[in-house]
Amino acid sequence: MNVVPTKSPATNPDPERPTGEELDHQRAAIAALGHELRALVDATVRTAASTEVLHRVTDGVRRLTGQVTGRRRVRAEIPAVDQFPGGGRMYSPVTGAGSPLAPPMEVTPDSGGVVGRCALGIAHEGPPGYGHGGMSAMLLDELMGWACAAAGMPGMTVSLQVRYHRPVPLETPLRIHARVTGTEGRKIFVDGSISTEDDPSVAVVTADGVFVSPDPDRTRALFPSVR
């Protein structure tokens, strides 16, 4: 989901949660680490290094992991650097700049919906040279959720029907589009597609989804950390 972030308050009621310029610096540091981790993942899945080199790198990564100290957030805890609900999430496996798993996809508004842009890497490979079908579904599911939010109806996925017309090429700029097509009570109907930037008129993957806007009681039950 994507909305314009609100200004930080003048005082910080929780000294453990960064605000203002400190928050900007932390997000930048998280994004920089995420970039390097994605580079490491890419190198790892491409390498034909010797067993000796792999063991040496494993020891180095283990030492680095030990340097990531401090309190660790628990399940369902919302990171202080996130804008939730309704904003960017730093560790999203689809859009998160801090995630070593994400492409990461950049989302912008578009007439009638939203557009996402990214390129899948070797770490996202299914058939040799092409993206895993589950990655296509995840890209579409994420962007279709953004489309709901952009239409003023944040929702959660109820069903997603994906059709694969052609394989999705790796290391190729992709254009993902999603738009709300209708509503029925709290149900939101959305469609989406994936194409390449070079040939945006040809959809390689398409999807239809049904999302639902949870009622306030259900929202509080699902996300107790949200105030």
Side-chain angles (χ1 to χ4, degrees), residues 11-218:
T11 59
N12 185 3
D14 184 351
E16 292 189 0
R17 298 179 73 87
T19 60
E21 187 174 346
E22 181 185 1
L23 182 59
D24 292 338
H25 288 322
Q26 187 162 0
R27 285 176 177 154
I30 289 170
L33 177 58
H35 175 80
E36 295 305 327
L37 289 174
R38 288 189 292 275
L40 175 61
V41 169
D42 184 74
T44 300
V45 299
R46 288 177 182 272
T47 188
S50 67
T51 301
E52 179 184 356
V53 169
L54 292 177
H55 282 307
R56 186 165 64 247
V57 171
T58 299
D59 290 340
V61 171
R62 187 180 296 113
R63 287 192 295 271
L64 286 174
T65 301
Q67 295 180 36
V68 185
T69 59
R71 188 183 72 82
R72 295 176 181 243
R73 64 185 174 97
V74 298
R75 186 181 72 86
E77 179 182 350
I78 300 167
V81 292
D82 278 4
Q83 298 165 344
F84 183 85
R89 307 204 64 195
M90 292 297 297
Y91 300 108
S92 162
V94 182
T95 60
S99 171
L101 310 175
M105 180 169 66
E106 296 182 358
V107 182
T108 56
D110 179 70
S111 57
V114 289
V115 169
R117 289 182 168 85
C118 67
L120 298 180
I122 300 298
H124 306 124
E125 188 173 55
Y130 298 97
H132 192 289
M135 286 301 303
S136 296
M138 187 162 68
L139 292 176
L140 286 163
D141 181 52
E142 174 78 6
L143 195 66
M144 291 161 83
W146 280 70
C148 292
M153 300 174 288
M156 301 178 68
T157 314
V158 172
S159 67
L160 185 68
Q161 182 177 1
V162 182
R163 293 171 295 280
Y164 300 90
H165 307 284
R166 301 181 184 183
V168 177
L170 297 178
E171 300 183 316
T172 301
L174 302 175
R175 183 184 188 276
I176 305 97
H177 183 265
R179 65 187 180 97
V180 171
T181 59
T183 60
E184 181 182 303
R186 291 191 292 111
K187 288 184 179 179
I188 310 158
F189 302 96
V190 193
D191 67 18
S193 64
I194 300 175
S195 59
T196 64
E197 286 280 19
D198 286 343
D199 197 359
S201 64
V202 177
V204 295
V205 184
T206 57
D208 296 306
V210 180
F211 288 66
V212 64
S213 295
D215 60 47
D217 290 339
R218 182 61 173 159

